[in-house]
């Protein structure tokens, strides 16, 4: 997050003695990224955050690959993912490459019995259905329909859900997730042409601090393994922090669309970037206003990136028979475009209510066994004239 934030209490100077009213020390931790070169925060703990008491089992959660080299346009019925009580078990990776995992999840219970952290991927959790509170050692963030929760690697978290009806679209990224560089000035501030600004980015607002000893189970994800650790001190032990590295939320409903007289290309929808893929938001907007404009997109050869669309709500104008929670993958190497009839249908239309999230990866995606269970076999033929 290219912005400074602070929560709770911190000493006047960094790296100096800091104690509570009883004279007990608080323990400082630098939480940095990209060695000591990336964004970082300084945290102050009631107990040392290093107290590993036991290392329990480790097990693989590596996705099982069904199609390693895919060249077919695919469609997945994403809402067929099975609701599952446990948050980690509910997460099903459907598309994957060495840069990212694209995951669907429908957890029915809050994550409260253990703590979780992903140590080699940033997580972007898009809330399609459900609401609740993300609880992290940097503080809490309330979430609801349409929120992107951006959780940098290493953040320790739990999640409270308000109901058992939750649908999540998750992207795990091996490289850091940033707001697009071209939206920011040389100081990092979002520019006037950016479709959102700092007011729309919500950092943690509430800090939960525990000064407790005991047995605290932490599930740590690294290299497609879960490692189970028992810590001797409560992981939410932070009394205060400041810096640039922290989780935050951004609502897709706060993305202000950029429109034009003629069809605008996908980069105008860009919301986040990494070194290996982009995340875009398609939101309700006015259509192109040239008298001869064709609002539907032109056919396009995204010759060197795989294009994943996750359909959230509303009519998706360039596609036929699209359902909520559906995922389409249009692979690099072959052109795709509007479905038969949708280009003609779009002419003269003034606006669209479509809501969708797009992930364009620069490296090809592999298809997992989980994805195969919800595959629409004939989707690749859907552009043929009837
Ligand atoms: Fe496309």
């Amino acid at each position: 997050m290219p912005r400074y934030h602070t929560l709770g209490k911190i000493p006047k100077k960094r790296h100096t003695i800091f104690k509570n009213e009883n004279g007990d020390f608080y323990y400082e931790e630098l939480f940095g990224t990209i060695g000591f070169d990336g964004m970082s925060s300084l945290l102050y703990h009631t107990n040392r955050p290093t107290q590993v008491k036991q290392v329990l089992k480790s097990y693989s959660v590596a996705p099982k690959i069904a199609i390693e080299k895919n060249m077919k346009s695919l469609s997945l019925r994403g809402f067929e993912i099975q609701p599952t009580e446990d948050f980690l078990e509910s997460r099903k990776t459907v598309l994957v490459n060495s840069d990212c995992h694209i995951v669907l999840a429908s957890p029915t219970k809050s994550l409260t019995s253990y703590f979780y952290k992903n140590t080699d991927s940033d997580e972007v959790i898009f809330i399609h259905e459900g609401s609740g509170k993300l609880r992290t050692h940097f503080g809490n963030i309330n979430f609801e329909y349409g929120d992107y929760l951006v959780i940098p690697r290493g953040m320790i978290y739990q999640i409270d859900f308000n109901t058992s009806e939750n649908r999540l679209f998750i992207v795990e990224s091996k490289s850091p997730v940033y707001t697009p560089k071209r939206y920011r000035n040389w100081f990092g501030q979002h520019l006037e042409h950016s479709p959102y600004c700092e007011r729309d980015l919500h950092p943690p607002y509430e800090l939960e601090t525990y000064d407790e000893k005991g047995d605290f189970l932490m599930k740590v994800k690294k290299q497609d393994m879960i490692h189970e650790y028992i810590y001797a001190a409560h992981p939410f032990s932070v009394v205060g922090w400041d810096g640039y590295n922290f989780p935050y939320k951004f609502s897709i409903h706060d993305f202000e669309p950029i429109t034009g007289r003629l069809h605008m290309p996908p980069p105008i929808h860009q919301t986040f970037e990494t070194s290996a893929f982009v995340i875009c938001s398609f939101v309700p907007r006015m259509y192109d206003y040239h008298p001869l404009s064709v609002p539907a997109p032109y056919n396009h050869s995204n010759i060197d990136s795989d294009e994943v669309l996750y359909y959230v709500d509303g009519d998706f104008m360039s596609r036929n028979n699209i359902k909520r929670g559906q995922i389409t993958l249009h692979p690099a190497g072959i052109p795709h475009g509007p479905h038969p009839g949708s280009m003609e249908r779009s002419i003269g239309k003034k606006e669209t209510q479509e809501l969708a999230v797009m992930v364009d990866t620069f490296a090809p995606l592999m298809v997992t066994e989980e994805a195969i269970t919800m595959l629409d076999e004939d989707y690749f033929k859907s552009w043929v004239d009837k």
Side-chain angles (χ1 to χ4, degrees):
M1 169 72 102
R3 152 187 179 184
Y4 176 83
H5 190 65
T6 183
L7 197 61
K9 51 184 182 179
I10 56 174
K12 194 172 167 202
K13 293 284 284 181
R14 60 185 176 182
H15 320 320
T16 56
I17 292 169
F18 186 32
K19 293 180 172 179
N20 68 13
E21 314 73 59
N22 302 325
D24 304 320
F25 276 106
Y26 290 126
Y27 300 93
E28 190 179 50
E29 177 192 11
L30 176 74
F31 199 104
T33 57
I34 317 179
F36 286 83
D37 265 0
M39 288 189 273
S40 67
S41 292
L42 279 170
L43 301 91
Y44 298 88
H45 296 270
T46 54
N47 288 291
R48 284 175 292 107
T50 47
Q51 300 183 53
V52 176
K53 205 168 175 180
Q54 277 179 281
V55 177
L56 305 177
K57 59 183 191 254
S58 299
Y59 47 94
S60 173
V61 288
K64 295 191 174 71
I65 305 303
I67 307 171
E68 191 183 338
K69 294 178 180 173
N70 175 62
M71 259 296 281
K72 222 157 81 169
S73 292
L74 302 179
S75 173
L76 311 176
R77 298 178 295 268
F79 270 19
E80 287 187 5
I81 204 84
Q82 281 308 303
T84 305
E85 287 190 359
D86 179 73
F87 177 70
L88 285 186
E89 287 174 18
S90 77
R91 295 164 60 126
K92 310 292 185 196
T93 302
V94 289
L95 299 167
V96 62
N97 64 22
S98 57
D99 304 314
C100 67
H101 285 202
I102 295 175
V103 177
L104 292 168
S106 180
T108 59
K109 289 261 174 73
S110 297
L111 164 53
T112 54
S113 60
Y114 56 88
F115 298 84
Y116 168 62
K117 72 172 173 180
N118 192 332
T119 59
D120 57 10
S121 292
D122 288 18
E123 295 188 353
V124 178
I125 302 180
F126 177 77
I127 311 295
H128 191 172
E129 290 186 352
S131 61
K133 182 181 283 193
L134 174 72
R135 299 170 57 230
T136 82
H137 71 312
F138 278 72
N140 300 336
I141 300 173
N142 294 328
F143 62 82
E144 60 187 3
Y145 165 63
D147 283 337
Y148 291 102
L149 297 171
V150 181
I151 307 172
R153 64 207 56 205
M155 299 289 157
I156 302 166
Y157 72 84
Q158 296 187 322
I159 293 194
D160 292 345
F161 292 109
N162 292 333
T163 71
S164 59
E165 307 282 319
N166 304 293
R167 296 276 178 185
L168 313 176
F169 175 74
I170 304 171
V171 186
E172 296 180 27
S173 172
K174 291 286 195 296
S175 57
V177 174
Y178 299 133
T179 62
K181 179 104 176 43
R182 65 195 161 82
Y183 293 165
R184 289 184 270 117
N185 67 18
W186 61 96
F187 294 110
Q189 183 179 10
H190 288 86
L191 291 160
E192 282 293 308
H193 73 264
S194 170
Y196 56 83
C197 75
E198 283 72 11
R199 291 183 201 184
D200 303 312
L201 306 174
H202 302 281
Y205 73 98
E206 170 187 74
L207 200 54
E208 274 184 67
T209 308
Y210 298 89
D211 183 4
E212 264 180 53
K213 294 285 183 66
D215 294 306
F216 300 93
L217 174 61
M218 177 112 62
K219 298 192 180 185
V220 182
K221 187 172 183 193
K222 186 177 181 184
Q223 295 176 302
D224 284 337
M225 299 284 288
I226 295 286
H227 304 278
E228 295 191 351
Y229 277 62
I230 300 290
Y231 275 87
H234 197 295
F236 293 169
S237 60
V238 176
V239 295
W241 60 269
D242 77 336
Y244 282 62
N245 187 31
F246 51 87
Y248 64 95
K249 77 168 172 184
F250 169 67
S251 171
I252 197 169
H253 307 302
D254 285 331
F255 187 93
E256 297 303 330
I258 296 166
T259 58
R261 236 161 79 87
L262 296 172
H263 189 81
M264 303 291 279
I268 56 132
H269 304 284
Q270 194 182 345
T271 310
F272 301 110
E273 73 181 10
T274 74
S275 60
F277 65 89
V278 298
I279 297 178
C280 299
S281 302
F282 287 79
V283 301
R285 63 192 181 280
M286 303 305 289
Y287 271 147
D288 323 329
Y289 49 89
H290 186 287
L292 296 178
S293 69
V294 179
Y298 28 77
N299 298 299
H300 50 285
S301 286
N302 38 337
I303 201 73
D304 50 12
S305 67
D306 275 18
E307 181 184 299
V308 176
L309 262 168
Y310 178 75
Y311 301 89
V312 181
D313 271 309
D315 281 341
F316 208 77
M317 51 106 162
S318 61
R319 304 259 160 266
N320 299 335
N321 305 317
I322 289 295
K323 299 206 166 41
R324 298 176 75 234
Q326 192 168 336
I327 290 179
T328 56
L329 166 62
H330 301 138
I334 53 172
H336 65 276
H339 273 142
S342 57
M343 185 268 281
E344 295 83 347
R345 273 201 313 271
S346 76
I347 293 171
K349 294 266 171 61
K350 297 291 180 223
E351 61 181 326
T352 174
Q353 294 301 314
E354 70 188 16
L355 198 64
V357 175
M358 185 167 79
V359 182
D360 276 9
T361 65
F362 307 142
L365 289 159
M366 296 180 281
V367 182
T368 69
E369 290 180 5
E370 292 286 353
I372 297 296
T373 65
M374 57 187 91
L375 190 62
D376 173 358
E377 292 286 351
D378 289 330
Y379 177 71
F380 72 93
K381 300 178 190 168
S382 61
W383 287 268
V384 177
D385 283 330
K386 295 281 186 291

